Amino acid sequence: MALLFVLLVFTANAQPNKKPGNTSPKLVVGIVIENMRPDYIQRYWGKFQDGGFKKLYHEGAVCNNFKIEQHIQNYASGTATLYTGVTPSTHGIIDKVWYDRLKEKEVNCTFDDFYFTVGGDTDAGKVSPNKLMVNTFGDNLKVFSQGKSKVFSLALNAESAAFSAGHAADGVFWFDNKTGRMISSSFYINLFPDWVRIFNSQGLAEQYAYRNWTTLLPINTYTESLEDEYLLEKGYYNQWNTFPHTITKYVKKANSLAPVKTTPFGNQIIYDFATELFNSEDVGTDNYTDLVNIVFSSMDYENGSFGPASVEMEDIYLRLDQHIANLIQLLLNKYGKNEIIIFLTSNTSASYPVNYLKEEFKLAVGNFSPESAFSLLTSYLNLTYGDEKWIENISGQQVYLNHRLIEAKNINKEKIIDNAATFISQFEGIKAALTASVLEKGASLESANSEVYVSFKKNISGDFCYILEEGWQPSYKYDQINYTDQSHIPLIFFGKNIQPSIINKRHTAIDLAPTISYLMGIPVSDKNKGNLIEGLFK
């Protein structure tokens, strides 16, 4: 069997002129759910209907040991890794935001002011995937089919939409926090599709902003979750943590429609938009495989405000289960099971809040305060080297020192970086602080800090980075971040030639791209470092 599999792989890669449609599905649909822990499926299983998650798990190939391992877990880097088959050290998306030394400011990984918004009058469409340094498997599909295959991506966040699509997509759409419309960038399209214009004319986000979020089922039946009035649950703006949720209040507080994304209504908008796409775009109708990526954002940035054990999270997933069931049925009715492949995964996992783990289970976890730690580091550097601005920027868990100042003062750059990293490594909750010079030398994938090495990108990453101990989370005085140290995410395949099975072998996020490429009948990218997932095929 192993020999047959090797021969199949060799044959697929040895036939570059074979049309994808001959043996491949007409349509591949990727469903990505941000911040999804695989154990949500087990927890809510008894309340899921038969046609959604249960159908995928009963009739699909389920990878039980699938992980996304990189230093800074975030939806931008995670999506880029899944869809390119390489780690941040190669694709270049080390975080959603990082510090650009040449521009002397933080830059967003998709912001590009060379392009303009299509479908709106805000700056939210000044986006391109140009900082993504390698192709996605959607890009490779377009090249291999000589442009005949079609690729679409849609999400609530621009980063997830852009990096699941790549550079050559036919349509990429995301939610504009200011207007509530689904928009795009002139990088992808110049003429806004009529069906998207009609969809936006409904003003769905504004309608949802005036609705209360109440539970789908009677609230006393949510026994898989903590009580709604759980004391340690922070809630919206650290004060509103119980049902019903008055979304209008949150929208006014944010001065935008962004809070809608954190409710089930955000996922509802994505579901409705996906349905319109399948009904309006000519996908899955010829002998060239098409790709459609749909990204649901779960609770988005409010994940940390409620946590994986909240009633809010359960309600999100019970409703999402309905959307997935309806999507599957739409695809089966429109194309048939033998013409489609669906894969479902996540671009990030989710951690339990520190206070919950400490108070309820007495685990050895805690909050690390970057503001306090780096205030002390500043004092240390001033005492050691003189009163100057030695730290140029702290972005995520990356620290950038002031190279110009260091050179002007004729200070050994490696020595000051080593001293700063050593100082930070002494704080409680810090597992390690690794300098750029150490990271440039590389390490084996089996090393204790391998996720940092595969995430380091020269000239983009900082002078040193720090890693928190398991269970520890950064806590800022004013800023809210969506932090997780969990790497376990779901992966399920369903559709043409997929064998219902449980795959327990360990796989990582870089294995998705070569596997989907094989299923689509296209060559795997030369830069890809992943392995094909065995056990999927009939």
Side-chain angles (χ1 to χ4, degrees), residues 71 83 154 162 167 183 210 215 236 254 268 273 304 406 468 531 535:
H71 176 213
Y83 279 83
L154 51 135
H167 305 78
I183 61 170
Y210 287 97
T215 54
Y236 286 98
Q268 179 73 54
F273 193 80
I406 292 170
L468 297 180
N531 299 306

Side-chain angles (χ1 to χ4, degrees), residues 15 25 51 159 162 211 214 218 224 256 267 276 281 291 306 368 373 437 481 484 493 498 512 536:
Q15 297 182 30
E159 297 85 358
R211 293 188 189 180
T214 58
E224 295 78 11
S256 80
N267 287 340
E276 287 299 321
E281 294 289 349
L291 172 66
F306 292 94
F368 169 72
S437 60
I481 62 169
T484 182
F493 298 88
I498 299 297
L512 177 65
L536 300 179

Side-chain angles (χ1 to χ4, degrees), residues 466-528:
Y466 62 91
I467 314 163
L468 297 180
E469 294 282 6
E470 182 179 359
W472 281 71
Q473 298 175 19
S475 177
Y476 294 87
K477 190 172 182 179
Y478 299 110
D479 294 338
Q480 180 177 335
I481 62 169
N482 193 6
Y483 176 86
T484 182
D485 62 357
Q486 299 299 297
S487 60
H488 196 183
I489 57 176
L491 179 62
I492 308 101
F493 298 88
F494 168 91
K496 183 173 184 177
N497 295 328
I498 299 297
Q499 174 178 294
S501 57
I502 301 295
I503 300 169
N504 291 317
K505 182 179 178 181
R506 182 181 182 276
H507 285 281
T508 64
I510 60 174
D511 296 336
L512 177 65
T515 302
I516 292 296
S517 297
Y518 176 75
L519 293 173
M520 295 192 299
I522 65 173
V524 176
S525 171
D526 289 341
K527 290 187 178 181
N528 188 267

Side-chain angles (χ1 to χ4, degrees), residues 80 84-87 90-92 129 131-136 139 166-167 525 527:
T84 61
V86 296
T87 56
T90 301
H91 63 59
K131 293 184 183 71
L132 185 67
M133 298 179 180
V134 295
N135 293 351
T136 63
D139 290 331
H167 305 78
S525 171
K527 290 187 178 181

